[in-house]
């Protein structure tokens, strides 16, 4: 009996998730660091995300090496010294949309993993659900020390302690 | 009853976790090649070229300094009274080619080089254990004005060439090793000095990261053909300070160009004939 219940549950669950998933792999994340000596901006155009419309689950996955900096030396330092992308190649967000209004205003809560450190975060933005796609836009801030990212004193005026993050992605209905 | 409902609760919870992990698995790209980057911090290990090339559209200005021998005593402030300098520019033409020009003060030598990346260390679909770069350089060892007025003077007599195959592997995140077979040709040699026209050396270099910002490098170029002088042995520290890489060196050759430090080193490292030096470089992005 129990086995039957579980299998039915599993089958229903499978159908449910498959039918409601929206997937995007070409999202854009930009981050800004405003500091007295220089402003740093980097962009990643290969951001992946999945939104499950029935369960309101939302996940993001970002490859750290895909962040492009205007200066290659900055990119090297970002990967080698600060984010250590050889040890922590990806950053992930696993969360839920906890509030969604008709005008598209959305509140997302979940766990963000960067540099091997996981923190609970909340972000506000826009989530528009259309027939065949979902468009997500959000802005939030991160504190570097929350993610165990050390900035040496000598470059403290070059790198901001709080980083502004800008997310923009379109998710298409996932078939199969 | 309580146990049963708890069981279902956990069952449900586990589904939820699985579901979210499944969501992430929808993003996993299976067919990827991961290239190994940052095998060395700089485009040189100590004196010799590393497999790193200047990034695309970046112009790097280097100022290299070498002081006199450390064992020259307090009278010469342990060599700091002397200095020779080399200025150079390196430019990244594209992702796999860089060119450079330079001038060394002591031998009045102008040089130009081209570095081409042939293959990169990678794993994934493309799997290759090594990064291979070729480096070709020409040197114009300028004669004095008087020498050039002589009837026997030929422009080509001033030329020296060096060709290298640089083969490197990043063994792990801290340790990288490089083998650099090098061929050096002098168009004209001075019969009275210890030189030969053709020289072959198998260079060996490595770096070890002490921390994210400091690495220690070592390098030697044993000569395997027509060896007439000592082999160069160099130790270096790369220290990163934000926008710059600051390199400090100890070597038994004060020269900064391949033909001279590989084939014309006359002092022995272990007798204390060591020269202290440093490099500073500044990078300019020409266009985005």
């Amino acid at each position: 009996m129990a086995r039957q219940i579980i299998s039915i549950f599993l089958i229903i669950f499978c159908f449910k998730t498959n039918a409601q998933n929206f997937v995007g792999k070409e999202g854009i994340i930009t981050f800004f660091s405003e500091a007295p000596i220089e402003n740093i901006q980097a962009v990643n155009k290969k951001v992946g995300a999945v939104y499950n419309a029935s369960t309101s689950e939302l996940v993001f996955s970002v490859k750290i090496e895909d962040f492009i900096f205007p200066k290659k030396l900055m990119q090297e330092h970002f990967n080698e010294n600060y984010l250590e992308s050889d040890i922590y190649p990806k950053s992930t967000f696993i969360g839920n949309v906890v509030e969604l209004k008709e005008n598209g205003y959305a509140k997302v809560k979940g766990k963000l993993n960067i540099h091997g450190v996981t923190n609970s975060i909340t972000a506000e933005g826009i989530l528009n659900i259309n027939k065949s796609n979902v468009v997500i836009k959000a802005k939030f801030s991160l504190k570097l020390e929350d993610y165990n990212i050390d900035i040496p004193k000598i470059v403290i005026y070059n790198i901001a302690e709080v980083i502004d993050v800008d997310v923009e992605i379109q998710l298409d209905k996932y078939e199969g | 009853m309580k146990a049963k409902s708890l069981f279902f609760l956990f069952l449900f919870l586990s589904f939820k976790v699985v579901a979210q992990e499944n969501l992430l698995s929808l993003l996993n790209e299976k067919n990827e090649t991961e290239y190994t980057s940052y095998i060395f911090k700089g485009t040189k290990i100590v004196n010799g070229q590393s497999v790193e090339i200047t990034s695309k559209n970046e112009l790097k200005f280097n100022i290299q300094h070498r002081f006199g021998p450390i064992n020259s005593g307090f009278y010469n402030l342990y060599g700091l009274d002397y200095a020779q300098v080399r200025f150079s520019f390196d430019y990244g033409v594209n992702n796999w080619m860089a060119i450079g020009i330079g001038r060394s003060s002591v031998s009045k030598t102008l040089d130009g080089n081209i570095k081409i990346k042939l293959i990169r260390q990678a794993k994934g679909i493309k799997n290759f254990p090594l990064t291979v770069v070729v480096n070709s350089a020409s040197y114009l060892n300028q004669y004095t004005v008087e020498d050039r007025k002589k009837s026997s003077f030929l422009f080509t007599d001033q030329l020296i060439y060096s060709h290298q195959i640089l083969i490197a592997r990043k063994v792990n995140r801290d340790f990288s090793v490089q083998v650099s077979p090098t061929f050096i040709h002098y168009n004209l040699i001075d019969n009275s000095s210890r030189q030969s026209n053709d020289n072959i050396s198998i260079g060996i270099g490595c770096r070890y990261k002490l921390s994210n910002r400091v690495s220690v490098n070592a390098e030697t170029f044993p000569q395997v053909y027509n060896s007439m002088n000592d082999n160069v042995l160099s130790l270096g520290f790369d220290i990163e300070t934000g926008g710059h890489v600051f390199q400090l060196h100890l070597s038994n050759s004060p020269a900064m160009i391949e033909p001279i430090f590989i084939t014309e080193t006359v002092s022995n490292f272990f007798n204390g004939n060591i020269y202290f030096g440093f490099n500073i470089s500044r990078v300019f992005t020409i266009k985005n």
Side-chain angles (χ1 to χ4, degrees), chain A residues 6 9-10 13 21 23-25 48-50 57 59-61 63 70-73 75-77 79-82 84 86-87 90 94-96 150 152 155 174, chain B residues 8 11-12 15-16 19-20 23-24 26-29 32 34-35 37-38 40-41 55 58 170 173 207 209 212-213 240-245 282-283 285 288:
Chain A
I6 292 171
F9 192 68
L10 258 176
F13 202 82
N21 282 341
V23 178
K25 289 181 179 176
V50 183
E57 285 160 342
V59 299
F60 278 87
S61 177
K63 230 177 130 187
K71 287 183 185 170
K72 279 281 147 60
L73 195 63
Q75 193 165 324
E76 179 177 334
H77 291 165
N79 281 295
E80 285 273 280
N81 301 349
Y82 299 117
E84 297 177 288
D86 51 340
I87 304 176
K90 276 182 181 175
I94 299 176
N96 285 75
D150 284 337
V155 291
Y174 186 69
Chain B
F8 274 105
L11 194 69
F12 185 71
F15 274 125
K16 218 174 155 179
Q20 286 204 324
L23 287 188
L24 272 180
L26 291 179
L27 293 171
N28 277 347
E29 282 162 33
E32 272 186 2
E34 269 186 43
Y35 289 103
S37 305
Y38 317 122
F40 291 97
K41 268 200 206 303
S55 304
E58 284 191 349
K170 194 175 191 173
R173 79 185 302 256
R207 80 104 192 247
K209 266 169 91 168
N212 275 348
R213 288 174 189 83
E240 267 178 29
T241 59
H244 304 266
V245 179
R282 179 73 207 180
V283 172
T285 303
N288 288 327

